[in-house]
Amino acid sequence: MLTSDMVIEWLRFEVPIALRTAFLERDAQIWTQALSTYPGFISKETWFEPATNATIAVIRWESLQHWKSIPRSDLELLDSQMEELLMPVLECKTFEVAESQR
């Protein structure tokens, strides 16, 4: 039985190791800053797998409805602001949090 409505937005990208620092900085300035203004946003982390290009973004939302309420036009605008550091999403998953330790 779920005790939390929280969901995780899990995204996989390939970010060349040489671009990691620049990607992280721009992602924080554009995506993390913008997402933090939407209702239901809890937090965002970016994980890099050592010695590979594998990059995972983990975004926590209070509910699926909060996450999915972001207008597509806003998402497209944020993508365009990433410019040359825009990396295609290779995989997107949704996880329900069974229990939250907030």
Side-chain angles (χ1 to χ4, degrees):
M1 178 167 149
L2 292 177
T3 59
S4 170
D5 291 332
M6 187 189 320
V7 295
I8 304 295
E9 174 186 3
W10 184 96
L11 306 169
R12 184 174 67 84
F13 309 88
E14 294 289 320
V15 177
I17 292 170
L19 296 178
R20 279 186 179 172
T21 300
F23 175 84
L24 254 177
E25 288 172 358
R26 185 152 325 145
D27 182 67
Q29 292 169 349
I30 294 169
W31 274 102
T32 307
Q33 183 177 338
L35 292 177
S36 70
T37 67
Y38 287 96
F41 174 83
I42 297 172
S43 66
K44 179 173 175 278
E45 295 177 341
T46 304
W47 304 341
F48 293 115
E49 184 177 345
T52 74
N53 293 334
T55 304
I56 305 295
V58 177
I59 304 109
R60 290 171 181 79
W61 294 96
E62 287 181 17
S63 71
L64 186 62
Q65 292 74 23
H66 282 104
W67 168 21
K68 296 299 183 174
S69 70
I70 301 172
R72 176 158 287 296
S73 59
D74 291 7
L75 300 174
E76 291 170 355
L77 176 62
L78 294 169
D79 265 352
S80 72
Q81 293 173 2
M82 289 295 288
E83 298 173 344
E84 77 283 356
L85 292 173
L86 177 64
M87 302 295 164
V89 175
L90 301 176
E91 191 174 3
C92 177
K93 295 181 180 183
T94 303
F95 295 91
E96 294 179 338
V97 177
E99 184 178 3
S100 176
Q101 302 288 323
R102 290 193 233 187

